[in-house]
Amino acid sequence: MPTFKSIRARAEKRKGGPKALEKLMPAKPDLKGLAKLGDDRILAEMTKRVFCAGFAWSVIDSKWDGFEEAFLHFQPAKLSFQPEDYWEGLLRDVRIVRNGAKIMSVRDNAAFVQEIAKEHGSFGKFLAKWPSSNEIGLLDLLSKRGSRLGGNTGQMLLRFLGWDGFVTSRDVVVCLRDAGLDIAEEVKSKGDLAKVQAQFNAWAEETGLPYTYLSRICALSVGENRSEQH
C-alpha cells in the first residue's frame, strides 16, 4: 500500500495546494463537546439521518422545525411514555414526512438512547469514549441495538454528531481500491469493513491526523473535482 503522503499530495494538486486543501477540512473532532451533547440532540440527529436515508435531505431540513415539535423536541424519556394513539397520530401529521416505519424507529431509538445513557451516563459520553480505531464495532452496535441505523446511515450519524471516523462514500472507496485495498466497489460486508478499518488505522498511525481528515483527503484525491462532505 502507498503511504498516505502520496494520496495527500494528489489531493493538494487537485485542489490548488496545501492551503487550499486545508480549507476543505471539516471541523476538528471535539470529544469534550461530544461528551456534553444532550441525549435529545443525539436522538434528533438519529431521526434526521433515518429520515434522510433514500430521501431528499433538503425536504427533511425544510420541515425540521415541524419534526422538533411533532416529536416533543426528541426528549427520550417523554417519547418513551407516549401512548399508541400518539404514534398513530404522527402517521397523519403534516409537520413531518409520514413514513410509518421511520416514525416507529424514533420510539425504538428513544429506548436505545436511554439504555446507553443508563449504562454510560449519557449517549454522548459513550461515543466520546469509543475509539476511532474500532469504528466497525460501533457501527455494528448501532445496527444491532438501534433501529434503522445500519450501513451508511450509521456512518453519517457519527459524522454529523462530530465523532471522529471514516465514511465509505463512493470516492473514499475509489481511493482505497486505487491504493490497492482488495474491497468491493460498495463496502457492505464485515470483511471489507475490517479491511477499511485496518487501512485507516495504519494511516492514522502514519500521519497523526484525525480519521475524519483522512477520509476527507482520501475522497478529494479522486473522482470529480468537487467539494462535498466526506
Side-chain angles (χ1 to χ4, degrees), residues 17-205:
K19 290 185 178 179
L21 181 66
E22 193 69 30
K23 290 180 180 179
L24 296 174
M25 291 302 101
K28 287 187 176 180
D30 177 12
L31 293 182
K32 289 184 178 179
L34 180 57
K36 294 177 181 177
L37 198 60
D39 289 333
D40 60 319
R41 293 305 91 200
I42 299 280
L43 182 59
E45 197 60 56
M46 285 181 178
T47 302
K48 183 175 281 191
R49 292 309 118 210
V50 167
F51 273 86
C52 280
F55 205 78
W57 291 17
S58 58
V59 173
I60 304 301
D61 286 339
S62 68
K63 296 175 75 73
W64 194 248
D65 287 346
F67 272 82
E68 288 278 354
E69 293 170 1
F71 286 108
L72 311 179
H73 299 283
F74 298 102
Q75 299 178 61
K78 187 176 286 189
L79 285 170
S80 295
F81 279 109
Q82 295 306 305
E84 289 296 330
D85 287 351
Y86 163 78
W87 297 99
E88 290 175 5
L90 289 174
L91 295 171
R92 302 182 296 276
D93 196 324
V94 297
R95 292 175 295 177
I96 64 173
V97 172
R98 289 161 286 174
N99 179 301
K102 292 185 176 184
I103 287 171
M104 296 315 297
S105 77
V106 181
R107 181 168 71 175
D108 294 338
N109 284 329
F112 171 44
V113 168
Q114 284 185 293
E115 289 170 6
I116 294 293
K118 187 176 181 180
E119 295 167 13
H120 300 274
S122 74
F123 206 101
K125 288 179 181 177
F126 161 72
L127 288 177
K129 292 177 182 177
W130 194 286
S132 297
S133 58
N134 186 24
E135 179 174 348
I136 58 174
L138 181 52
L139 292 172
D140 187 56
L141 182 145
L142 290 173
S143 177
K144 289 179 177 177
R145 295 184 61 177
S147 177
R148 305 180 74 91
L149 297 178
N152 184 256
T153 301
Q155 292 183 15
M156 296 311 295
L157 168 66
L158 295 176
R159 175 58 53 85
F160 277 91
L161 287 174
W163 189 81
D164 185 24
F166 59 80
V167 172
T168 54
S169 67
R170 180 182 59 187
D171 287 346
V172 168
V173 174
V174 168
C175 170
L176 289 165
R177 283 167 57 88
D178 181 71
L181 200 63
D182 182 20
I183 54 176
E185 291 183 5
E186 289 188 39
V187 174
K188 294 182 178 180
S189 72
K190 287 187 176 181
D192 279 356
L193 275 170
K195 292 177 183 178
V196 172
Q197 181 76 72
Q199 187 55 58
F200 274 104
N201 288 352
W203 282 338
E205 186 174 348

